[in-house]
Amino acid sequence: MNTQVNLSKNILSAGLGCLVIAVITVIWMAAGRAYSIDEAQPSVNSLSIEGLPLGKDYPYRSPLDITLSTKDNLAYSAQHTGQCVDIISLKSKEIVHSIPLDGAPSGLALDDMQNRLYVTYGLNPGNIAIIDTQSINIVFTLPAGSAPIAPVISADGKTLYICNRFDNEVVVYDLKTQKVRSRISVAREPIAAARTPDNTLLIVAHHLPAQAADKDHVAAAIDLIDTASLKIAASIRLP
């Protein structure tokens, strides 16, 4: 009886050992295959906020934002993973120029009167490229914070507003001095902005709620910033 029990235990042990070896072999082979597939992929320097590879080896350019020039009959398109701004003729429907950037563009604002295109790009830290739309050159850059996005130009063209998404702030630049005029703390992850036609308010939308997830009411908000005092005039919680 003891001999049979011991024999059964030995058989069970041997079976478990074979199963463990088989599992390890499968994992090893899968890891090797994944490595060989990864080796075959084009190398990339960095990733976008969404985790997409950046650079010319990535087959997609990921157009993210667009603004139109009625004066020149052109469209400016931010190619996020392509790391450039394409200029498109609205007449021929073709790209007539492409402006390379050092990072992934996230937002555009056009001042047609002063021939200036403002482009937020990069992650941490980010930057703002100021492009002369006549010479198609970057005339200067401004430093920004974490994941700058949603540039807005004041009606008189003297002030630039941007959202530093992961810093939870709106930064106000004096374009004459190229200096930061103010930093305004806002709700969580500002990602979109627009000014009212009378230029008295900057409307800022947020990506995430500021409340903890276990609160009775959890919702993102819209902040209204007074452009004269550069303070939050009101905050509207969404449904």
Side-chain angles (χ1 to χ4, degrees), residues 113-179:
M113 297 299 295
Q114 300 191 50
N115 302 318
R116 289 285 188 267
L117 178 69
Y118 298 85
V119 185
T120 51
Y121 69 94
L123 184 54
N124 191 22
N127 292 281
I128 307 148
I130 292 81
I131 298 170
D132 186 303
T133 57
Q134 298 301 302
S135 65
I136 318 298
N137 289 322
I138 298 176
V139 290
F140 63 93
T141 60
L142 295 172
S146 182
I149 193 170
V152 175
I153 302 295
S154 62
D156 59 9
K158 297 179 179 179
T159 304
L160 171 68
Y161 307 91
I162 69 156
C163 297
N164 282 334
R165 177 176 175 181
F166 297 125
D167 291 331
N168 301 327
E169 67 176 6
V170 172
V171 181
V172 184
Y173 292 86
D174 184 319
L175 292 175
K176 183 178 181 180
T177 63
Q178 299 180 20
K179 301 291 185 182

Side-chain angles (χ1 to χ4, degrees), residues 12-141:
L12 180 60
S13 298
L16 289 173
C18 291
L19 179 61
V20 169
I21 292 173
V23 170
I24 292 174
T25 302
V26 170
I27 293 173
W28 182 267
M29 293 174 63
R33 184 173 180 274
Y35 177 78
S36 63
I37 291 174
D38 184 66
E39 285 290 290
Q41 297 297 320
S43 60
V44 295
N45 295 324
S46 57
L47 299 177
S48 72
I49 297 174
E50 296 80 10
L52 299 174
L54 304 176
K56 62 182 180 180
D57 291 331
Y58 187 57
Y60 306 106
R61 295 166 68 82
S62 312
L64 186 68
D65 196 6
I66 192 167
T67 186
L68 303 179
S69 169
T70 55
K71 183 177 72 171
D72 297 325
N73 206 28
L74 296 171
Y76 298 87
S77 177
Q79 308 295 328
H80 187 66
T81 52
Q83 295 190 113
C84 65
V85 174
D86 283 343
I87 304 175
I88 304 162
S89 168
L90 296 177
K91 182 177 181 181
S92 67
K93 309 296 190 295
E94 295 179 348
I95 296 173
V96 294
H97 201 88
S98 187
I99 306 168
L101 298 168
D102 293 332
S106 55
L108 304 171
L110 178 65
D111 186 345
D112 242 352
M113 297 299 295
Q114 300 191 50
N115 302 318
R116 289 285 188 267
L117 178 69
Y118 298 85
V119 185
T120 51
Y121 69 94
L123 184 54
N124 191 22
N127 292 281
I128 307 148
I130 292 81
I131 298 170
D132 186 303
T133 57
Q134 298 301 302
S135 65
I136 318 298
N137 289 322
I138 298 176
V139 290
F140 63 93
T141 60

Side-chain angles (χ1 to χ4, degrees), residues 206-219:
H206 300 87
H207 190 235
L208 293 176
Q211 306 85 18
D214 60 354
K215 295 295 183 182
D216 291 336
H217 185 81
V218 180

